[in-house]
Amino acid sequence: MESIVRVSGLTKTYTRQDGSVVQAVRGIDLDIYRGEVFSLLGPNGAGKSTTISMISGLIPPTAGDAEIGGHSITREPLQAKALIGVVPQEVALYPMLSARRNLDFFGRMYGLSGAELSKRIDEVLDVIDLKDRQNDKVETFSGGMKRRVNIGVGLLHRPQLIYMDEPTVGVDPQSRRRILDTVLRLRGEYGMTVLYTTHLMEEAQELSDRVAIIDNGAIIALGTLMELMSQAGEEDILVLTVAKERANDSIVGVLQAVEGVSRAQIEPSDTDNGEVKYAVYARLGRRALPGVLTAMNAAGVDVMSVNVREPDLETLFLALTGRALRE
Amino acid sequence: MRKAFIIAYKDLYTTFTDRNLILLMFAAPLVLSAIIGVTFGGIAVGGGGGALSDIPVAIVNLDEGVSLSFSGQDSAINYGALIAGVLSGEGVGGAVSGLSRDTADCPAAAAAEGGEGTMTLEQLLAPVMLTSVEEARRRVEADEVAAAVIIPASFSADLQVSPVKPALTPVSIEVYSSPERPISAQIIRGVLDQIGAQFAAGNVTLSALIASLASDPLRISSVFNSSAFNEGIGCVFAGVSSSVVIDRQSISGAEVVINPLVMIGAAQAVFFGLFTANGQASSIIIERKNWTLQRLLITPTPAVIVLFGKMLAVFIVVAVQILFLVVGLTLLASLLGGSPQFIWGTNIPGLLAVIAATALGTAGIGSITAAAAKSAEQAGVIGSIVAIFSAVFGGAFGFMPPPALANLSIVYWGADSFTRLAAGNNDILLNLLVMVLYGAVTFAIGFVLFRSRIGDR
Ligand SMILES: Nc1ncnc2c1ncn2[C@@H]1O[C@H](COP(=O)(O)OP(=O)(O)OP(=O)(O)O)[C@@H](O)[C@H]1O
Ligand SMILES: [Mg+2]
């Protein structure tokens, strides 16, 4: 498969004013293939935006480099930048200008003009579905509409590659759906390559061909969804919540004795909310559930709630870091 | 480069479609300058087109005169009386015995008298002749007169040239002026400068003539008696009385009838220009906060072009503002005067060049504050401090600090250029150069700061 982005040894170290050092990105290597949706999944502060900023030529890396379509972002920034569309995490628009003027201005910054620019703007307005509001000031838009214009700007020059940095942050479910559909359409209809960052497992799971999980500035897992799932384990997990005063050392043994259960453990938890969670691993979780509940009942332990978790990226993240993806 | 213009156009569009900003930027300084000008400048409303007239002035002539003697032909000259006569409008009769002439015989003087839009000394000054220096000073202190002109006893003797004393001795006329009436005092000083210049011209001619004649004594008396010679020297003096026309063109180098609106407006224009430059340049900080700056920098556009585009907009906005102020004050002065008055002088290309250079200098300063400040509020504070210091150093608040400080201030260089042009003095090349250099250096510093802060949070 042909790579459109090759990142090697990418590193960013910040020195704060008080002299403390932040290693925002610690030597990332990755390839993004032409035509795929590649997600960078990680919690807040993982280094997603810093990575995007470096590979879009906004900030210089402390070390390492990225090649975009064969052009080094540090040595041939103008050629590399021309290939990329960027949708920043922030809504980067001029509030006092209309949607159309925003598109027009940024289009010109990508070297478009005249009838061609006008045609592209119409196309983009179509994609983001804002034709009827195009002449209103962005200031007057809802959060979701602003997000859509923010995406539109990144599409204007028909880049082969688009970076979208948490494009659904702070939007209502309806707008989120629209944005996710747009991403799928960009790959499906226009054959674009999308680098998508998010801290939401569901989004990565729905959109991506491949996912890299990033934590603390480093990539801790990378692969197709299938590959990552198998890394997470093939078993379902039943999560039983028990009141703390009812929890005792024998429960793990009771659970492991149930038929169909391979193992059980206490789930690590940072918060003390008077509850203890037990993770019960079973190949077919739903089928093992009645036996598990009966055994708990027999042991005299009240189960407050049961949650069946099929393996997902969340599980993988938990398994790799011992922390939940979102706090 | 095209992209720099696109960025500048976007900024100009944003600025000029913001009604509040427009009001703040254009109307406020105009109104303020006008108020200051009218209140402190003592603009006489009406008065036949002149901004000022009938300035009370005391004249004390202590000059003892000197006698000329050439081959038996005696004539007495009292230059002090001549000046007193000129200032009082009494003419020069009696000051030069044997050389009494009518103004009408001197073509240049006659032409000047009928000039339109000009003002004669009689209209401008209301003189009183005094014999006591003490009395003159008392009147100034009591604010009865705007200034006292005191001509020293040896005035004529010092000015005299002869075969035995071929060079002029430097002379000075004392002008004792009231601080309450700075503009009137300036005008009187300007008039004297002009008279002095004509004296010098007359005497240089005279001394050259005498020098050449001295070598050929036989011809002295015939030349001295010739009507050509008499007419020459007569017109030098007669010319004084009528060709000191109070017209900004005729008096170079002296801030004579600079309209008070210019004296105040010039410094104010630069002062306000600094504020505007700062405000407009702060849009960089706002763009950084809104992330539109970052978005600009990830388009295939070099950072220097982005900053240049932003600064181009600053330059244009400041230039337009100053232009607006200049035009506005011209209209105001014309309105007050009752007839069109080109208070900024008639050197339009020079005026435009000064406006451009001033805008360049202030835009450069704005680029530093905008690049260095952490927030628009901080930039506002830094910018105001810089503007106020520049204004104080530059003499915008009515007093002039030492040149070492003044030379640092763009307000000084800008205001000085404007007043020079208003006074008909076209010697502004140094000013232009300094301001352009100022702009270039500050922009360079601004760019370095800007570059180093692109990735900051
Ligand atoms: N300019 C900077 N100066 C100092 N530290 C910085 C700077 N930019 C980022 N960091 C730090 O680098 C780390 C990574 O930040 P980054 O914005 O890349 O995270 P992120 O994955 O995008 O998080 P989020 O999901 O919150 O957007 C954080 O600890 C952040 O505080
Ligand atoms: Mg981020």
Side-chain angles (χ1 to χ4, degrees), chain A residues 44-45 47-50 89-90 165-166 197, chain B residues 457:
Chain A
N44 292 130
K48 303 182 293 292
S49 297
T50 307
Q89 184 169 355
E90 261 76 11
D165 195 1
E166 306 208 37
T197 84
Chain B
R457 283 207 170 159

Side-chain angles (χ1 to χ4, degrees), chain B residues 249 342 344-354 421-422 424-428:
Chain B
Q249 252 84 215
F342 297 103
W344 303 88
T346 48
N347 182 354
I348 301 300
L351 193 58
L352 293 178
V354 168
L421 288 180
N425 179 357
N426 290 329
D427 181 16
I428 50 167

